[in-house]
Amino acid sequence: MEEHNHGHDAHTQVGDSHEMTSYEKRAGAILSLLTEKGVVASDEIWRAIDDMDSRTPALGAKVVARAWVDPEFKAQLLTDTKAALTELDVDIGSLNTVVALENTDKVHNVVVCTLCSCYPRTILGVPPDWYKSLSYRSRVVVDPRGVLREFGLELDPDVEVRVYDSTADIRYLVIPSRPAGTEAATEDELAGLVSRDSMIGVAMASAPGK
Amino acid sequence: MEARFNAGDRVRIRVDYPAGHFRTPGYIQGKTGTVAGVHGTFRNPESLAKGGDGLPRQYLYLVRFDQTHVWENYNASPQDKLLIDIYEHWLEPVCQS
Amino acid sequence: MDRRVHDRGGWPEAGPINRGQHDLALWEKQTDALHRVLSGPGKHKWRVDELRRAIESIGRDEYESAGYYGRWITAIETLLVERGILSREEIDRRVEDTDEQVK
């Protein structure tokens, strides 16, 4: 069963072509009631949406690029992730503890939350749909190499695959390996090679020029 | 309060399906792993989920498992690992033989 | 032992991973924002753990078909009703009123 099937059968045609699901209607009803009663202010909701929109994988990419060029920063990132992020002026919010995991040619880390969809949102933005899908949550713990293959990543049998199931208060950020041929790249150019998926562990950082 | 376990200790995950909310996946219950790290203490989500204060705080551990131990049919590389964050009250010591 | 519906690790019958992506709709962002505002500083109506508990109490069929924010808004409704902030009836009524208006 995939994630975006509509629940219930209460579909109503609204306006031009927009079909509202029963969930969308209930969300609208709840929000308007809460605003009328003064439980939430419309402003507060918009600010929260702005905050959500402002957090993108570019934040994480900046962190990874710095780790690639600055060994001391990387060492700190791996031992005290929060302090390293603070040094880079990356605000992780008050919610979670973040731990960075380094991918090397010997070890490949990949992250999931099988129980819900925990994700380091403050530094990667909202998770992709597939990360929240029941299929990914079910399968990556039991068949990580098969799942990675679906993402186009074939790992050597000698590489140790470590699946992190983030079940608690810790959020994990994967530091992908620095691609070969990037010795002359600037930090900004390097950040451009760091995809969201590479920081979840289902992809490598891109090769330069691709 | 001191952590009951240290990195390197062998632990077994308790088998339990208490009513209410808990954060220990079914697939890892009854399995044996090794403490890979101690994250520190956190409020207990089982209490927080009921509107409680989450106290006393619980130690949270990173526990490492061999994939070949967790899944009977795991036939990929034998060095592959699963790492899961587990609260102390879900861990039982395993006697080293 | 019955596995809970949200406890998906190793769940059998899981198919291929759909890597299609949709932009979050406004109501999905509003739902996300509602939880963060209501559980956040100054409000403290509930904690994320309670939201999870409410999500986990959704029945299996609905859990699997509702989608991510469908589960969230269902759980938010549960918590609002639990706390007496809103009643099921007034939410139903508001949904009906909105339906009337668009007819």
Side-chain angles (χ1 to χ4, degrees), chain B residues 1 3-4 9-10 21 26 28 31 38 43 45 51-52 57 64 70 72 79 82-87 92-93 96-97:
Chain B
M1 186 177 69
R4 186 176 173 201
D9 286 354
R10 297 283 289 162
H21 171 79
I28 211 62
K31 305 295 181 188
V38 187
R43 287 173 188 254
R57 291 166 76 94
R64 182 178 62 232
V70 178
E72 234 170 78
Q79 77 275 22
L82 250 170
L83 291 104
I84 313 184
D85 294 325
I86 311 221
Y87 292 93
E92 290 170 345
Q96 317 273 359
S97 52

Side-chain angles (χ1 to χ4, degrees), chain A residues 23-33, chain C residues 27 30 73 94:
Chain A
Y23 298 113
E24 180 172 5
K25 289 180 185 176
R26 292 198 89 72
I30 288 167
L31 184 56
S32 71
L33 286 165
Chain C
W27 78 269
Q30 287 169 329
I73 196 62
R94 181 57 57 94

